[in-house]
Amino acid sequence: MNVTRGFTGHARAHRPGLPPGQYDAGDDWPVLSAEVTPELTPADWTFRVDGLVAEPRTWDWDAAHGLPASAYEGDIHCVTSWSKFGVRFAGVSLDAFLDVVRPHGSATHAVAYAHTGYTASLPLADLTGGRAWIAWEYDGAPLAAEHGGPARLLVPHLYFWKSAKWIAGLTLLDHEAPGFWEQNGYHARGNPWEEQRYSGD
Ligand SMILES: Nc1nc2c(c(=O)[nH]1)N[C@H]1C(S)=C(S)[C@@H](COP(=O)(O)O)O[C@H]1N2
Ligand SMILES: [Mo]
């Protein structure tokens, strides 16, 4: 058996679970916002799903909390190359919202939009199957405003720019409609395991 001991210095050992080109940010949780953090309270917050759906719907804070609770424990990966391991978010699975609005078969993509105007584009398939959440808790406490509180989108298997903070809604479409970063050359899907950072990757 080979055991390497005494590995010291500033080189970062590649740890399992770290996608290519990423580093482990440890306990740090950098804040990345294109906007000023809005003053948004739970009483102001709403979440709407519309577009190619049978029944467009808007939930307020209480209605959204009436859906079954769902948690994520795992990792997140920002395209600027930090990853964070073992984060814990809680909220509601997006499947629960989509079950209510019933997407048309023609819906292939979604634009997620924030109460601030930030947008992100995602394939609809990445928002289903228990892989996406509306999250309002982090580590058992209310999600901090700078991290998207009262509630943010969480799609942890894609680069974190897809996880729109201060989420206001999703519009389902039958085509890709580039959002804030996608319009600036970032990838339509953004799978960290395939290093889909920029369009063309
Ligand atoms: N509304 C909004 N959501 C956003 C962003 C943003 O600028 N505005 N930045 C994205 C990017 S690039 C990342 S890495 C994460 C950062 O989330 P954090 O600040 O909680 O780490 O939010 C994403 N969601
Ligand atoms: Mo990011």
Side-chain angles (χ1 to χ4, degrees), residues 14-36:
H14 188 90
R15 66 172 281 184
L18 193 63
Q22 297 291 111
Y23 73 93
D24 178 357
D27 290 336
D28 292 345
W29 188 5
V31 171
L32 279 104
S33 303
E35 328 85 296
V36 172

Side-chain angles (χ1 to χ4, degrees), residues 29-35 76-80 82 114-116 118-119 143 146-148 152 159-167 180-181:
W29 188 5
V31 171
L32 279 104
S33 303
E35 328 85 296
I76 54 177
H77 311 287
C78 171
V79 73
T80 61
W82 56 269
H115 283 277
T116 51
Y118 179 90
T119 52
L143 182 64
E146 67 268 27
H147 288 301
R152 74 181 298 160
Y159 282 124
F160 213 34
W161 89 76
K162 305 288 183 177
S163 295
K165 303 196 279 190
W166 315 294
I167 187 72
F180 182 82
W181 286 113

Side-chain angles (χ1 to χ4, degrees), residues 121 159 161-162 176 181-182 185-191 194-201:
S121 171
Y159 282 124
W161 89 76
K162 305 288 183 177
E176 197 227 338
W181 286 113
E182 294 87 13
Y186 285 80
H187 198 276
R189 178 155 190 245
N191 177 358
E194 294 178 11
E195 262 202 288
Q196 294 171 339
R197 297 177 192 273
Y198 307 104
S199 69
D201 282 352

Side-chain angles (χ1 to χ4, degrees), residues 55-177:
E55 279 183 57
R57 168 93 190 254
T58 303
W59 287 263
D60 64 13
W61 187 253
D62 290 341
H65 283 68
L67 295 169
S70 176
Y72 170 73
E73 181 160 0
D75 311 331
I76 54 177
H77 311 287
C78 171
V79 73
T80 61
S81 83
W82 56 269
S83 290
K84 193 167 166 55
F85 287 87
V87 300
R88 290 192 303 138
F89 285 96
V92 168
S93 170
L94 256 193
D95 294 304
F97 295 95
L98 292 171
D99 282 350
V100 173
V101 300
R102 289 180 288 124
H104 292 319
S106 58
T108 56
H109 289 79
V111 172
Y113 55 96
H115 283 277
T116 51
Y118 179 90
T119 52
S121 171
L122 302 102
L124 180 58
D126 284 308
L127 295 172
T128 60
R131 295 187 298 167
W133 289 260
I134 298 299
W136 41 65
E137 270 184 33
Y138 180 79
D139 254 350
L143 182 64
E146 67 268 27
H147 288 301
R152 74 181 298 160
L153 180 63
L154 175 67
V155 191
H157 70 285
L158 300 181
Y159 282 124
F160 213 34
W161 89 76
K162 305 288 183 177
S163 295
K165 303 196 279 190
W166 315 294
I167 187 72
L170 297 176
T171 300
L172 272 54
L173 306 167
D174 61 5
H175 58 277
E176 197 227 338

